[in-house]
């Protein structure tokens, strides 16, 4: 089983739609969770950290469910510029400094 | 502030040649990571350093790969000899070595081995 698993997509949604991605992780001891965004042929960039109580940043909401070991990202009122690959990131089994990246979920927002 | 700086941005080389990728982390960051990204395998951690010391190199594919960090502001990833299956994007990233700290990526070195 992969340490971090994501649905690769693509999710193809119209502008203005709400879309949600889930990610599951295998290490129950993980403490750090993030969502990164990667545009085509670019480096990954931090979108947001994920806190235990859930957190929101504008149109983006992240949730953590420790009992089920999954993380979610909700994007409301999606924009064309949201088209990208979204990477779920969790700290690894053997080190809190070692971040394990999921393979990413691709989002396409159409006009 | 300057981000993580990598060079070269693009390299095309022939099989068997030595390849050296370079990285300058963000000033003040004391953790440095080398990742490799391919379509098939996604982002894989190759090695990470903390305070210039290699902490975990379990992701280094084989002996052809080596990495060094001679000081806090410079690291290299070397492949010798290179093979076509090494073709990938190699990202360097840095962070402050505290749990939960964000890592920042360079723009990557796009390597093609023919």
């Amino acid at each position: 089983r992969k340490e971090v698993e994501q649905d690769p997509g693509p999710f193809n949604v119209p502008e203005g739609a709400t879309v949600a991605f889930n990610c599951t992780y295998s290490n129950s001891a993980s403490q750090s969770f993030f969502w990164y965004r990667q545009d085509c042929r670019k480096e990954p960039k931090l979108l947001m950290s994920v806190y235990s109580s859930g957190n929101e940043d504008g149109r983006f909401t992240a949730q953590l469910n420790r009992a089920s070991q999954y993380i979610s990202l909700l994007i409301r009122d999606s924009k064309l510029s949201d088209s990208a690959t979204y990477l779920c990131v969790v700290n690894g089994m053997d080190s809190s400094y070692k971040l394990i990246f999921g393979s990413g979920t691709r989002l396409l927002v159409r006009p | 502030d300057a981000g993580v700086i990598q060079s070269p941005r693009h390299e095309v080389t022939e099989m068997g040649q030595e390849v050296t990728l370079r990285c300058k982390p963000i000033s003040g960051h004391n953790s440095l990571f080398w990742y490799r990204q391919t379509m098939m395998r996604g982002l894989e951690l190759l090695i990470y350093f903390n305070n210039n010391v290699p902490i975990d190199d379990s992701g280094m594919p084989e002996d052809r790969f080596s990495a060094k960090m001679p000081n806090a502001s410079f690291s290299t990833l070397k492949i010798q000899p290179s093979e076509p299956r090494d073709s990938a994007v190699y990202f360097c990233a840095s962070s402050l070595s505290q749990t939960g700290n964000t890592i920042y990526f360079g723009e990557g070195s796009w390597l093609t081995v023919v």
Side-chain angles (χ1 to χ4, degrees):
Chain A
R1 182 186 173 187
K2 289 184 179 179
E3 290 187 73
V4 180
E5 294 205 60
Q6 295 183 251
D7 181 343
F11 286 63
N12 191 326
V13 303
E15 263 188 298
T18 295
V19 62
F21 310 135
N22 283 339
C23 160
T24 57
Y25 61 95
S26 59
N27 180 16
S28 59
S30 292
Q31 295 295 322
S32 303
F33 309 92
F34 308 90
W35 284 101
Y36 274 68
R37 170 191 169 132
Q38 186 172 25
D39 292 292
C40 187
R41 302 184 69 80
K42 297 286 189 179
E43 73 275 22
K45 293 183 178 178
L46 178 69
L47 178 66
M48 59 196 303
S49 300
V50 185
Y51 302 121
S52 298
S53 55
N55 48 299
E56 190 174 302
D57 183 1
R59 298 182 293 108
F60 299 84
T61 301
Q63 296 278 355
L64 170 63
N65 184 317
R66 285 188 184 275
S68 300
Q69 294 181 211
Y70 78 80
I71 306 156
S72 65
L73 177 67
L74 182 78
I75 305 175
R76 292 181 299 278
D77 187 23
S78 53
K79 313 291 185 190
L80 295 177
S81 58
D82 294 334
S83 297
T85 297
Y86 291 83
L87 303 168
C88 175
V89 187
V90 177
N91 69 288
M93 291 183 180
D94 51 357
S95 168
S96 60
Y97 304 146
K98 187 173 179 178
L99 296 183
I100 307 298
F101 284 74
S103 55
T105 298
R106 191 171 173 210
L107 172 64
L108 301 172
V109 182
R110 64 181 187 271
Chain B
D1 284 341
V4 176
I5 299 172
Q6 292 187 244
S7 66
R9 290 294 316 282
H10 300 272
E11 174 129 357
V12 180
T13 191
E14 291 185 346
M15 183 173 62
Q17 296 298 307
E18 178 179 293
V19 174
T20 299
L21 308 179
R22 298 173 178 80
C23 176
K24 176 178 167 54
I26 293 172
S27 178
H29 283 188
N30 55 0
S31 283
L32 183 139
F33 308 81
W34 283 100
Y35 283 86
R36 176 172 69 176
Q37 187 173 37
T38 61
M39 288 293 292
M40 293 297 295
R41 300 173 68 91
L43 258 172
E44 302 173 281
L45 177 64
L46 300 177
I47 186 170
Y48 80 93
F49 295 84
N50 187 248
N51 294 321
N52 312 339
V53 176
I55 303 300
D56 183 349
D57 65 355
S58 59
M60 296 285 264
E62 48 198 273
D63 292 345
R64 297 184 298 106
F65 285 69
S66 62
K68 294 181 179 179
M69 192 165 185
N71 58 61
S73 59
F74 184 66
S75 177
T76 59
L77 178 68
K78 187 175 293 188
I79 308 172
Q80 167 63 22
S82 57
E83 296 182 3
R85 60 193 169 117
D86 301 332
S87 299
V89 185
Y90 291 83
F91 288 107
C92 178
S94 71
S95 75
L96 290 170
S97 61
Q98 298 173 26
T99 301
N101 264 54
T102 305
I103 66 171
Y104 297 87
F105 285 81
E107 293 182 312
S109 292
W110 296 71
L111 174 65
T112 302
V113 183
V114 298

